[in-house]
Amino acid sequence: MNLKIYNSLSGEKEEFKPIHENNVGMYVCGPTVYSNVHLGNVRTFMSFDFIFRSLQFLGYKVRYVRNITDAGHLTDDGDVNNDRFVKQSRLEKLEPMEIVQKYTVDFHKVLELFNLLPPTIEPTATGHILEQIELTKKLLDKGFAYESNGSVYFDVLEYNKRGLNYGELSKRNVEELFANTRDLDGQNEKKNPQDFALWKAASPAHIMRWNSPWGAGFPGWHLECTAMSTKYLGDKFDIHGGGMDLKFPHHECEIAQGKACNGHEPVNYWMHANMLTMNGQRMSKSTGNYILPMQLISGENDFFEKPFHPSVVRFCFMQAHYRSVLDISNEAMVASEKGFLRLMEAVKLLDDAGSFQMNNRSLFDIKEWKTRCIAAISDDFNSPILISYLFEAVKFIFALKDQTASILEQDLIELRQFMKVIVFDVLGLKSIEESNTAKLDQAMQVLIELRNQARKAKNFELSDQIRDKLLAEGIELKDGREGTTYVLN
Ligand code: AMP
Ligand code: ZN
């Protein structure tokens, strides 16, 4: 079956033709590790996890590169005081690299919680400074960049003069861009406000700095992705992904850098994942409309009435196509939980199928159903359609349970095997009993019970010991009217 992918560059669904047969090179912009990832960030990474899993399911060998941005992502190109890492390190009284480490660990923990597979390569910006300096030199040599006060900027006007079409991805008109932007403070070392930093001079107080031919400084955000993607995937590769909000300027600038360096498009298929909204408003740290993944799972938040298991969250996300906006609300999560539990029950029923009526012709055409499932995956990774097909099978499985339908032995084996591959390997769901959080929960109930027994026996030394030792491990017990609960700190 032919795979079709919606390409943001052409604005069309195109047949996927990999550069090297049966192999896919995919680069996805990773997190900027200066604070905890929120649930919106998780959605984007989960969308690409599903795409990664789907490509593997379809038989491709995938080299999946997802970077860690640990330097250089300024909130404003023009002002070096806007380095996110330096700002956060002042706030938390930590070294910038301690900030990087802290939030990289958090990022990995969160993604593991939602059963995301690790990428095959996870490069960091700070580990590729030399490559970024080399690229900057190349762009200067070719006349696409200029030096100004120890910083180097990409010359957007020059790029366009040579007919290379800045704005092709985001469909922006450069003339309008030039006409509509004000010259912001601190940008006067640029020839034009649209020009973006390849290398930024560091002030003496700036700790994250490296030597370069232009003096001490640090690389620009857009350049790091060009450096790392081309290093591991070549100067032309198959797929580049990221959240919708990265289309402009980030990905537009990556295209410009690639084309200026090599004279051709750097990427064949640009893929953009759509945003997560909560109660109708885009999830973002700056507006305060956000929730951290652990807050949703522990139930410690003001938005949801109860805690939700990570697999329920994953199921909820998978019910929306990656290119659609997804809104989460209490009602949406409750409905997802119901659907998820029914799906899991059906999968379980397939394992203990003792009561099923066998040896009759199946009314459910397994082969045709499998073909449709594969077609949904191949149609621009359509997870909601795939899930709707799964529920056709779920209905049939419950009919088998109720003995209102029957199945051939061979069909049952095929259904069981395919269902598990789609549910666990492609959609990446985990049954609640199987997952570690469920085990932790069971262990915690045992400890809470033991502590209650100690308290009843007035053995406060032991009960306090249980509480304090758990606290030292980052697990806080909370005594309330309804009994004792716990939160992970
Ligand atoms: P950042 O660490 O800010 O670079 O963001 C990491 C990723 O999360 C990027 O690909 C963003 O596009 C994505 N992202 C940010 N906010 C949302 C949201 N509300 N929904 C989905 N993805 C988001
Ligand atoms: Zn990037």
Side-chain angles (χ1 to χ4, degrees):
M1 206 164 301
N2 291 337
L3 169 63
K4 286 205 169 109
I5 295 183
Y6 180 87
N7 188 350
S8 308
L9 191 57
S10 65
E12 279 169 19
K13 241 190 241 179
E14 297 174 13
E15 192 174 316
F16 179 64
K17 293 198 190 91
I19 296 170
H20 304 288
E21 208 182 340
N22 300 325
N23 286 272
V24 177
M26 176 163 88
Y27 184 90
V28 172
C29 295
T32 307
V33 283
Y34 72 104
S35 69
N36 302 98
V37 276
H38 60 63
L39 202 64
N41 305 130
V42 172
R43 183 188 179 205
T44 286
F45 297 121
M46 197 187 287
S47 293
F48 286 101
D49 181 62
F50 173 64
I51 289 164
F52 177 39
R53 287 165 177 272
S54 298
L55 288 167
Q56 287 178 316
F57 168 76
L58 295 172
Y60 292 103
K61 186 170 186 298
V62 188
R63 179 177 289 176
Y64 174 23
V65 185
R66 188 186 63 211
N67 72 299
I68 296 278
T69 296
D70 58 351
H73 189 170
L74 303 180
T75 47
D76 168 1
D77 225 17
D79 185 355
V80 283
N81 294 321
N82 280 330
D83 183 311
R84 289 173 155 90
F85 300 100
V86 176
K87 260 184 160 176
Q88 193 65 21
S89 69
R90 287 200 191 114
L91 216 64
E92 296 196 35
K93 298 196 169 49
L94 292 170
E95 276 288 315
M97 266 328 218
E98 285 181 307
I99 294 293
V100 163
Q101 178 68 9
K102 178 176 171 185
Y103 294 111
T104 302
V105 169
D106 171 75
F107 172 66
H108 287 149
K109 261 195 199 160
V110 167
L111 295 200
E112 208 181 308
L113 195 65
F114 293 103
N115 202 25
L116 273 77
L117 298 172
T120 53
I121 303 178
E122 192 169 47
T124 60
T126 54
H128 296 76
I129 301 291
L130 287 180
E131 287 82 350
Q132 296 176 77
I133 291 176
E134 286 309 310
L135 274 177
T136 307
K137 277 195 214 159
K138 198 167 173 183
L139 289 166
L140 277 168
D141 285 349
K142 291 189 170 235
F144 284 105
Y146 57 90
E147 190 190 342
S148 176
N149 293 333
S151 294
V152 181
Y153 293 100
F154 188 93
D155 191 338
V156 173
L157 206 59
E158 176 61 29
Y159 177 80
N160 248 33
K161 261 196 221 150
R162 300 197 205 176
L164 289 167
N165 193 15
Y166 184 82
E168 61 184 303
L169 177 69
S170 54
K171 319 288 177 235
R172 285 173 201 232
N173 180 308
V174 169
E175 277 69 42
E176 271 171 34
L177 274 178
F178 275 94
N180 292 341
T181 29
R182 297 170 293 132
D183 196 359
L184 297 169
D185 284 349
Q187 291 197 333
N188 41 17
E189 60 181 40
K190 296 185 194 179
K191 285 193 202 163
N192 283 297
Q194 253 61 47
D195 295 351
F196 54 90
L198 299 169
W199 186 264
K200 212 61 200 152
S203 65
H206 205 102
I207 315 167
M208 292 181 92
R209 57 203 288 131
W210 292 266
N211 287 330
S212 79
W214 317 283
F218 53 92
W221 174 39
H222 314 309
L223 193 64
E224 69 171 75
C225 284
T226 297
M228 290 183 268
S229 61
T230 52
K231 173 153 182 161
Y232 299 109
L233 300 170
D235 59 30
K236 193 181 188 78
F237 55 95
D238 298 301
I239 299 177
H240 191 314
M244 207 71 114
D245 56 333
L246 299 188
K247 235 189 218 181
F248 187 88
H250 186 50
H251 292 160
E252 198 70 73
C253 296
E254 276 189 56
I255 292 182
Q257 289 163 167
K259 278 171 76 175
C261 275
N262 304 307
H264 57 74
E265 289 284 347
V267 175
N268 280 341
Y269 303 85
W270 280 93
M271 297 184 73
H272 289 97
N274 216 326
M275 295 289 113
L276 182 73
T277 60
M278 184 162 66
N279 300 317
Q281 203 196 334
R282 176 167 159 195
M283 191 168 290
S284 120
K285 280 231 163 131
S286 53
T287 59
N289 186 50
Y290 74 93
I291 183 167
L292 298 180
M294 272 320 291
Q295 294 174 327
L296 181 58
I297 287 156
S298 69
E300 294 256 309
N301 63 77
D302 299 330
F303 303 100
F304 296 86
E305 280 167 15
K306 63 182 282 298
F308 291 97
H309 190 274
S311 274
V312 172
V313 182
R314 183 157 183 137
F315 180 72
C316 174
F317 284 10
M318 290 292 113
Q319 278 180 303
H321 187 242
Y322 79 90
R323 280 195 290 123
S324 310
V325 172
L326 168 64
D327 188 56
I328 52 161
S329 59
N330 198 58
E331 296 74 55
M333 287 305 302
V334 169
S336 290
E337 186 171 58
K338 226 173 126 193
F340 171 76
L341 292 175
R342 190 168 160 80
L343 177 64
M344 286 300 141
E345 199 183 334
V347 175
K348 221 167 157 204
L349 280 171
L350 287 174
D351 275 334
D352 21 79
S355 64
F356 289 5
Q357 285 186 3
M358 312 293 284
N359 294 327
N360 270 315
R361 201 172 62 81
S362 309
L363 284 174
F364 189 75
D365 187 340
I366 310 280
K367 294 218 161 34
E368 184 268 348
W369 170 76
K370 272 171 71 172
T371 309
R372 279 192 289 131
C373 287
I374 298 168
I377 297 169
S378 308
D379 182 17
D380 195 26
F381 311 101
N382 202 322
S383 56
I385 298 287
L386 175 67
I387 290 175
S388 75
Y389 294 160
L390 286 186
F391 274 87
E392 288 178 15
V394 167
K395 201 171 157 200
F396 175 62
I397 295 164
F398 276 96
L400 288 171
K401 179 194 165 216
D402 299 339
Q403 301 194 336
T404 55
S406 62
I407 190 166
L408 283 170
E409 177 97 44
Q410 194 49 43
D411 282 357
L412 177 63
I413 294 169
E414 205 173 332
L415 176 63
R416 182 190 291 137
Q417 194 261 345
F418 193 77
M419 191 84 177
K420 282 189 178 172
V421 167
I422 299 293
V423 170
F424 300 126
D425 300 345
V426 181
L427 288 170
L429 300 169
K430 266 187 177 176
S431 72
I432 289 190
E433 303 88 56
E434 197 196 332
S435 62
N436 290 336
T437 27
K439 289 210 184 92
L440 169 70
D441 203 51
Q442 285 158 3
M444 284 306 301
Q445 296 317 322
V446 172
L447 283 170
I448 288 169
E449 177 56 30
L450 287 175
R451 177 167 166 262
N452 285 344
Q453 284 175 14
R455 280 158 119 192
K456 257 193 208 146
K458 302 219 175 335
N459 185 349
F460 296 114
E461 199 184 328
L462 180 61
S463 66
D464 286 353
Q465 217 179 8
I466 294 173
R467 185 196 58 205
D468 295 344
K469 286 200 166 168
L470 284 171
L471 194 60
E473 296 300 328
I475 305 171
E476 188 184 346
L477 293 183
K478 295 203 162 179
D479 296 315
R481 243 185 266 161
E482 313 277 290
T484 305
T485 53
Y486 67 94
V487 282
L488 305 181
N489 292 324

